[in-house]
Amino acid sequence: MVIRDTSTDLTNALSADIKLLGNLLGVIIREQHGDDALQTVERVRFNAKARRAGDQHATIELENIIEGLSLDQKRILIKAFSNYFQLINIAEDQQRVRVLREREATTGLQESIDAAIHALRDEGLSAKDMRAVLNRISARLVTTAHPTEAKRQEVLVKLRHIAQMIAERDRAMLLPREQAALEAVLAEEIEELWQTRPTRSARATVADEVDFGVYFITHVVMDVLVDIYDDLRDALRAAYPGEDWSDLPALLRFASWIGGDRDGHPHVTPDVTRNTLRTLRAAARRVYLDEIAFLREHLTQSVDEVDVTELMRQTLEWEPSTERFPGELYRQQIELIYERLEQDAYQSGEELLADLHVIEHSLRANRGQRVAGGALHRLIEKVRLFGLHLLPLDVRQDARVHAAALDELFRAYGLAESYSGLSEPERQALLDRELKNPRPLFPVELHFSDRTNMIAETWRMIAGAHREYGPAVIDTFIASMSTAPSDVLAMLLFAREVGVQDYLDLVPLFETVDDLHAAPDIMTTLFENEAYQRHLAKRGMRQQIMLGYSDSSKDGGYLASNWGLYTAQQRLARVCQQYGVALELFHGRGGSIGRGGGPTNRAILAQPRASMQGPIKITEQGEVIAYRYSNPEIARRHLHQVMNALLMAVGAPVITDVHPEWREAMETLATLGQKAYQTFIYETPGFIDYWQQATPINELALMPIGSRPAKRGAGGFAQIRAIPWVFSWMQSRAIIPSWYGVGHAFEGYCHDCDDPESGGLAILRAMYASWPFFQALVENVQLDLAKTDMEIAGLYSSLLADDALCTFFDEILAEHERACDWICRVTGQDELLDNTPVLQRSIERRNPYVDPLNFIQVNLLSQLRSLPANSPAREPLLQAIMMTINGIAAGMKTTG
């Protein structure tokens, strides 16, 4: 008997994919630029690998090669390594799919819907209990446009085509001629990729970003989400045979705030949001029209062969007679649905669903259950989950902009000379009076400043959208930088003014560490406000609260941010319970670790139990959309993991006994980490100069990768968005936002104990072993510490105009070593990621190929910064730098 070594087979398959794609890329480079160009690429690759192996001479050789190249030659190098990463990412994704399929075929997948359902059944949940769990779960994944994907949509489409061909090659037994044909098409796509500009020539518009989101929703997400519900039904039927699970609640859905988020974004106007709603609706209709056209060709059942329901006959009698498809009533009904949809005659998805259900019920009543459960079922599920609006659109605005508008409005009406100068109790009292005042707040003709007029027009736009499409299209308004109850009452006043207060969730976004601490008191004040109580009653006594991961981390460092978020959730849950309000937490998580990123399922399971008692929303930001939803198999796995976590968190929550000493430890760690972080970042003179010189932050601000400015407004470091803050450190490979202060905190906590080894360290180890929150925190820090490369980060010190600034790098290096040491002590590892060798190998495999891009970037930055501001040579250099940024982002698999 031969025992097959599947692990070796899978590894060989990955190597074969990498070799194929790498060889085809080499062929294209040779064809496009000659043998010398390919030899230069190989020399750089050889020296980069030798450098990683410890050959110091290779470092010098690498620098000399790059220094001796012309700008055009450097561009070829940049394209070579950047495209290599794009292709290798595809190979690694396909390898992940292989591994998942192998596990599913043999041992079964963990962290899956099936695993969760059977685990809950084994815990003793009856079918009735399971229905109660499903009715309690409500999760909405919200796509956002930031941090903006560095790749153009045109590039993403080509990469998706390549991925589809690699998957086809893996699944099918290809004949030699078929293999040759597939490789020819692969080479064609890679040639197109090589000749396509990797970055945009102009800054993306909001419409570009909307199209980006729509592409993934319509091409991947809609079908995968239908699969998820089918997988859930199959798992329920297997675990609870004999039960009817056909009618499931919409427990997992998608939304968007691309085109609705106007926080610090001057280009998101009311017209832009209106156009976004039209684009979303048109995209949904296109999908449905294609599927209805398919059904029109397949629902050929004749009344000569099988009957239809009386309702079906009556429906057709009510409509104008048609001579098409005589005797084929299903096709006639589908044709009528197609015509109505094509003419945009349906106002809502519910109307379309009603017509589709007539066909479904008739089929099921007349022995057509298989047809009813096939393509028609999938269409009905899509319409149920996505409606005609495709995605609900969240609208967000900075609370300070609302306050400035009220300042002008109240002054114009003689109600307050300076609303902004009032104390918080005085603001609340004024808003309470205005909420009772029947007088319109907005005049018919707006005659205020442009900014105040824009606020009024935005709220009127929401009311208009509700009238035209229904309240489902915009059901959430978020006030970022909420710091007081008046910020939420201001939203209520504006909503009441245009008549949407009963149809809109009014959501405070608490972003800084201080605001997270203040959040429970703010909500208490609101819950005791009579006008706000009436609003809550109309909204089913449900309050949505958004927590900002990005700005709290930028404000106080990773430890203080995470602990502030954790404790805020617990305290908010208690406040909501006290006032009989259902809490819906909205987690504003970024793509990178420094902005709250990391595996979504692990984040869900790490939440305090009290915060998982109601609905939740989670952002899916920028680059994460492409990473998770380009490949349908990866998307399916991600959503399985999310559903697994939701089912387990609600159905069988892990009751972690969080010992008082653990909470005390986290309080100490958060305080120590915040002090170290803020002292270094905010209080050390010269740090901003170091950051601007030792990273490409200024060049990133010029990169046309997103429609949003890098800053919220005029001002210093505080106005810089968290996205470019993290992105810049990711480019230099220092990645300090996700770990600076951790080493200080762990060391300080343990050294303050009487016995650091058996006392403080033992407590931290116990926390890591038994507390999901602390385990997730440590694992996320560990990942970015492993991705950090201080040798590469040190290269950027050569860009410093003042040698005295080098002390900042010395401090960063010392803190990195300190953090690595303590993370390994807590986890019991000799080296970082010893507990996840696959990830460890992936980083090690990538590093030699990312390094050349960093060497080139430093070289180009040095040249650019030495030129006068008006030099014509700046633009070509800047474009090449943009290419390195794109390539490093691909190699690191993240931007910011």
Side-chain angles (χ1 to χ4, degrees), residues 306-466:
V306 65
D307 201 4
V308 299
T309 61
E310 184 60 28
L311 178 59
M312 179 86 176
R313 291 182 183 275
Q314 291 175 0
T315 301
L316 286 168
E317 288 173 3
W318 297 335
E319 297 292 341
S321 60
T322 176
E323 296 181 359
R324 295 192 70 188
F325 316 126
E328 297 174 350
L329 301 191
Y330 291 115
R331 295 183 81 184
Q332 291 180 18
Q333 174 72 348
I334 279 290
E335 174 71 4
L336 290 170
I337 292 172
Y338 186 94
E339 290 174 358
R340 288 190 202 120
L341 191 58
E342 191 175 41
Q343 296 163 9
D344 204 8
Y346 292 106
Q347 184 187 31
S348 68
E350 286 73 19
E351 294 178 5
L352 174 58
L353 269 179
D355 281 355
L356 292 171
H357 279 310
V358 170
I359 298 175
E360 180 198 26
H361 295 157
S362 181
L363 285 167
R364 292 191 185 281
N366 292 280
R367 305 186 308 281
Q369 61 270 14
R370 292 186 182 277
V371 177
L376 177 62
H377 156 75
R378 293 187 67 83
L379 173 60
I380 287 173
E381 278 289 84
K382 287 181 184 178
V383 177
R384 181 175 78 98
L385 296 169
F386 294 92
L388 279 177
H389 56 288
L390 190 66
L391 302 168
L393 196 63
D394 289 359
V395 175
R396 182 173 73 149
Q397 180 57 276
D398 192 317
R400 295 168 295 186
V401 176
H402 278 167
L406 288 174
D407 194 275
E408 184 175 359
L409 287 165
F410 289 154
R411 187 182 305 110
Y413 292 134
L415 298 171
E417 184 58 32
S418 174
Y419 173 76
S420 58
L422 297 178
S423 67
E424 176 58 22
E426 290 172 328
R427 287 190 183 195
Q428 291 177 37
L430 176 54
L431 291 167
D432 276 336
R433 290 195 298 272
E434 281 302 300
L435 283 164
K436 297 172 185 174
N437 193 331
R439 167 192 41 76
L441 185 66
F442 302 149
V444 176
E445 295 292 332
L446 297 171
H447 50 74
F448 304 104
S449 66
D450 290 345
R451 185 162 68 169
T452 297
N453 288 345
M454 188 73 76
I455 292 296
E457 289 167 356
T458 295
W459 285 93
R460 285 175 172 173
M461 174 273 299
I462 294 171
H466 282 195

Side-chain angles (χ1 to χ4, degrees), residues 214-227:
V214 166
Y215 173 81
F216 288 104
I217 295 296
T218 56
H219 284 75
V220 178
V221 171
M222 294 180 83
D223 278 305
V224 171
L225 193 59
V226 171
D227 291 340

